[in-house]
Amino acid sequence: MSETVYNRIAMLRAERGISRRELADALGVHYQTVGYLERGEYSPSLYLALKIAEYFEVPVEVIFSTTEFPRLGSAERSA
């Protein structure tokens, strides 16, 4: 059983024009930690996941999932 945690941190950062360093400073972590999270090389603690959700003002499940998020624009659009 895989314990991969997928996330949308990079997408949320890009949407809001926030750098890795700005997010890291707000969360109290090293900026490289944000990179590790975004690339899926590190799974956050529950506390850190909740802090990230709080920072972006969205529910934690909007950011994190145990299944891959669908790629934007991948769903067929009906006419």
Side-chain angles (χ1 to χ4, degrees):
M1 177 175 162
S2 174
E3 292 191 19
T4 302
V5 176
Y6 300 93
N7 72 74
R8 291 179 165 156
I9 298 170
M11 183 189 78
L12 289 166
R13 267 195 327 96
E15 277 180 357
R16 294 161 195 215
I18 299 164
S19 72
R20 282 184 178 160
R21 192 170 299 275
E22 288 171 316
L23 178 58
D25 289 347
L27 299 172
V29 299
H30 194 276
Y31 76 93
Q32 287 180 323
T33 300
V34 175
Y36 294 141
L37 288 166
E38 290 179 348
R39 292 188 300 274
E41 295 173 12
Y42 172 73
S43 293
S45 66
L46 176 57
Y47 178 78
L48 183 54
L50 292 170
K51 291 289 289 182
I52 294 168
E54 182 180 287
Y55 178 84
F56 287 114
E57 299 179 328
V58 296
V60 72
E61 56 273 6
V62 167
I63 305 173
F64 299 99
S65 177
T66 56
T67 58
E68 287 189 68
F69 290 104
R71 294 182 64 69
L72 296 177
S74 65
E76 287 186 41
R77 295 189 176 136
S78 55

